[in-house]
Structures are given as C-alpha cells and as structure tokens.
Amino acid sequence: MKCRDDMLTHGVYILTAAHDGEVRGMAAAWACQVGIDKIMVYIGSQSSTREYILRSGVFGVSALAEDQIELAKRFGTTSSLNVNKFEGVGFHHRKTGSPLLDNCLLTFDCRVDDVFDYSEGKLIIGKVISAEKVSEEYTPLIYRR
C-alpha cells in the first residue's frame, strides 16, 4: 500500500507574512514542531504567502480550533493574489511584525532560520520568537481529506 495524504491527521494552521505593507496568508496542514523553539512548514511553489515569508524573513503561525473551519476555508481555497483574505479578520502583531490571527488557539511569531528546496516547494524552518496560548484546554481543528 502506498502512503496517501488521508492516512495521517494534521492540525490546521494559518501561515501569515507581511512585506512592504501588504499581508498574505494561507491555510496549511503541513506544519510541525521540530525542536523546543522550531517550527517547520512546507509551502508549494504556487503560494504568494511563501514569497512574502522568504522576502521578509519572518512569518506567523496561528493554530485553529475545531469551530474555525470557515476561517480555514477562507484562507485555504483562494489565492491572496485574487482576494483579500484578511478583510474582516482581526489580527495583531508581536515582535517580528508578522500578522497573527486574533481568537486562535495558539500563535507563533517566527524568524526564518533555514530554507530547503523539496519537490515543488520549500521546507521552511522558523525559530519561535514569541508564542501565545489562548486557553489551557482546547480542541484543535484536524485536517483529514
């Protein structure tokens, strides 16, 4: 049996970046902690958010709760080139200036440490500069095709 993308479950995150006064964001299930203060994300070549991350050298990660599926769809089904995904969505900044979504379970403000080419995309490893936790008890939104 081959491994398929519906075999493992993943949390759902919104990856964000700002550059030259503009913000970009995308939904992602390919994110994981790779050390006490490191997060790795995988972003395909078609993403304008990825380009903002690479240009700015910083990014935000906002973890979604199970009741935030509409927010995941908003950031995951359209391109930032075609629509302002942030319209009507509250966000704030911490230390790096990356947008972090309000009312999410957890947020991580990250600085890019390493970038690796992989297949059609890039693996980006970020050092967590600042983190926020809304509640000690929560149920994350889980992605499974």
Side-chain angles (χ1 to χ4, degrees), residues 59-97:
F59 64 98
V61 179
S62 299
L64 300 184
E66 68 179 348
D67 64 349
Q68 293 179 304
I69 193 163
E70 291 306 316
L71 190 58
K73 288 178 181 178
R74 177 186 191 118
F75 278 85
T77 58
T78 58
S79 169
S80 293
L81 297 175
N82 301 327
V83 66
N84 178 1
K85 298 179 189 182
F86 287 87
E87 185 174 335
V89 175
F91 64 93
H92 59 284
H93 305 278
R94 300 275 298 172
K95 295 181 179 185
T96 71

Side-chain angles (χ1 to χ4, degrees), residues 12-17 24-30 41-44 46-51 53 60-62 64 71-72 74-80 85-86 101:
V12 179
Y13 307 93
I14 304 299
L15 306 180
T16 55
R24 294 284 191 264
M26 62 174 280
W30 305 106
V41 298
Y42 174 80
I43 307 176
Q46 76 287 357
S47 173
S48 65
T49 302
R50 181 184 85 173
E51 295 312 308
I53 291 170
V61 179
S62 299
L64 300 184
L71 190 58
R74 177 186 191 118
F75 278 85
T77 58
T78 58
S79 169
S80 293
K85 298 179 189 182
F86 287 87
L101 301 187

Side-chain angles (χ1 to χ4, degrees), residues 4 9 49 120:
R4 300 182 320 259
T9 58
T49 302
E120 297 293 319

